[in-house]
Amino acid sequence: MLAILDTHLLAATTRHGLRGWQRFLLEFLYFGIKNARACLFVALFFASVLLAPRAGLFGLPRYDVLLLAAIAIQVWMLWARLETWDELKAVCLFHLVGFALEAFKVSGSIQSWSYPDFAYTKLFGVPLFSGFMYAAVGSYVIQAWRLFDLRIRHHPPYWMAVTIALLIYANFFTHHYIGDFRWYLAACALGLYARTTVVFRPLDRDRQMPLLLSFVLIGFFIWLAENISTFWGVWRYPNQLGAWSAVHVSKWSSWSLLVVMTFTIVAHLKHIKARIDVPD
């Protein structure tokens, strides 16, 4: 069924009769459908987070159930050819990058947040399922790239894009010791991608938007998902241990910067350099 849906969504049949508000509504509908399809792993994994009982299932703690659910979703997507082996490799890389960050953040000297429940699959105080939360972001970018036939105009030189991505990742660690340079990095990213636009195809015509806007929008929706997850007690920030409160809006900026890093990784692992316009 999903393979048939993908074939339909990727068809670029020109619709000459569509004009005005009818075209706008249909393109907006297809834009929503393609985004929903790109969020397949996100939606299934997030549903598992919401539906898994706090006490666990069949004698397994909740975190272990979530790990099995995430693995099952990935295996199914690969078996159903909704994800390629190369895309799975990218998802695994996001998992490793995310897990390393999580292990650092929950360590005894940092304790930015914590996973309060017991699990058999906890390593360094971090349940192994947590890496899939980062992999979910990568999965969305990978799927959206294919479904929307994304092309990038005025992409900055690769060495600059890679450098800013590495500095963003490093700042998540180093700001505990030498200060938070998040806003300086955001300013650098703003200048680096100021002219960059993403060309996408919601229906049969190309549309475009600033790439920076897509970073901010994706970051916002991740921040919303984080609020729901902490409300459900999957993990907690120190200020949420007594009673839940909304995740500080500053986390939105952190997630948006993480999306910049995610985009850079996807751009390389999907071997799409030939489809990106890098000015001389």
Side-chain angles (χ1 to χ4, degrees):
M1 183 64 72
L2 284 173
I4 296 174
L5 175 63
D6 283 2
T7 301
H8 174 72
L9 293 177
L10 291 169
T13 306
T14 304
R15 311 195 181 205
H16 299 286
L18 279 178
R19 293 183 179 84
W21 64 270
Q22 290 180 323
R23 170 167 285 279
F24 171 80
L25 289 178
L26 191 60
E27 286 200 19
F28 187 76
L29 174 64
Y30 271 76
F31 179 80
I33 293 173
K34 286 188 176 184
N35 267 302
R37 167 61 186 86
C39 286
L40 179 62
F41 178 79
V42 180
L44 293 175
F45 181 64
F46 198 59
S48 301
V49 170
L50 297 181
L51 295 175
R54 181 72 180 266
L57 284 173
F58 310 114
L60 281 177
R62 173 170 60 163
Y63 294 158
D64 298 329
V65 171
L66 291 177
L67 175 62
L68 292 175
I71 294 173
I73 294 167
Q74 286 285 208
V75 170
W76 170 71
M77 288 182 66
L78 193 63
W79 173 79
R81 297 184 179 179
L82 301 173
E83 191 172 74
T84 66
W85 280 104
D86 283 341
E87 290 169 348
L88 179 62
K89 293 174 187 176
V91 167
C92 290
L93 177 59
F94 289 121
H95 187 286
L96 292 174
V97 168
F99 181 81
L101 180 59
E102 290 282 321
F104 174 78
K105 291 291 188 178
V106 304
S107 61
S109 60
I110 305 299
Q111 296 185 338
S112 295
W113 56 79
S114 63
Y115 291 90
D117 297 347
F118 169 79
Y120 294 108
T121 55
K122 259 187 174 180
L123 187 62
F124 305 118
V126 181
L128 293 180
F129 88 87
S130 64
F132 282 103
M133 295 185 292
Y134 297 84
V137 180
S139 176
Y140 166 77
V141 175
I142 289 169
Q143 296 290 332
W145 205 301
R146 178 175 62 88
L147 291 167
F148 283 102
D149 189 26
L150 295 190
R151 283 139 290 154
I152 308 298
R153 289 179 179 165
H154 303 295
H155 190 280
Y158 276 95
W159 72 269
M160 291 185 179
V162 171
T163 299
I164 196 67
L166 290 174
L167 289 174
I168 287 171
Y169 187 63
N171 186 68
F172 287 119
F173 296 86
T174 60
H175 82 85
H176 293 281
Y177 306 107
I178 61 173
D180 189 357
F181 295 99
R182 177 190 323 175
W183 298 111
Y184 297 100
L185 292 170
C188 290
L190 181 63
L192 196 62
Y193 290 99
R195 296 179 61 240
T196 307
T197 56
V198 54
V199 180
F200 60 99
R201 187 173 297 151
L203 186 59
D204 61 339
R205 293 183 181 177
D206 287 344
R207 306 297 179 186
Q208 65 181 32
M209 67 184 294
L211 183 60
L212 285 169
L213 178 58
S214 68
F215 293 155
V216 172
L217 290 175
I218 296 172
F220 173 73
F221 284 106
I222 299 172
W223 176 75
L224 287 180
E226 185 178 32
N227 273 281
I228 296 172
S229 297
T230 54
F231 178 79
W232 238 252
V234 179
W235 72 90
R236 291 283 172 87
Y237 289 100
N239 66 308
Q240 296 173 324
L241 294 178
W244 182 84
S245 60
V247 177
H248 196 277
V249 71
S250 64
K251 293 293 182 181
W252 179 2
S253 63
S254 298
W255 283 116
S256 295
L257 287 172
L258 188 71
V259 174
V260 175
M261 188 187 75
T262 302
F263 170 83
T264 304
I265 294 174
V266 173
H268 282 70
L269 294 186
K270 284 181 69 68
H271 307 288
I272 54 170
K273 290 186 179 183
R275 304 185 63 193
I276 294 181
D277 174 21
V278 181
D280 296 329

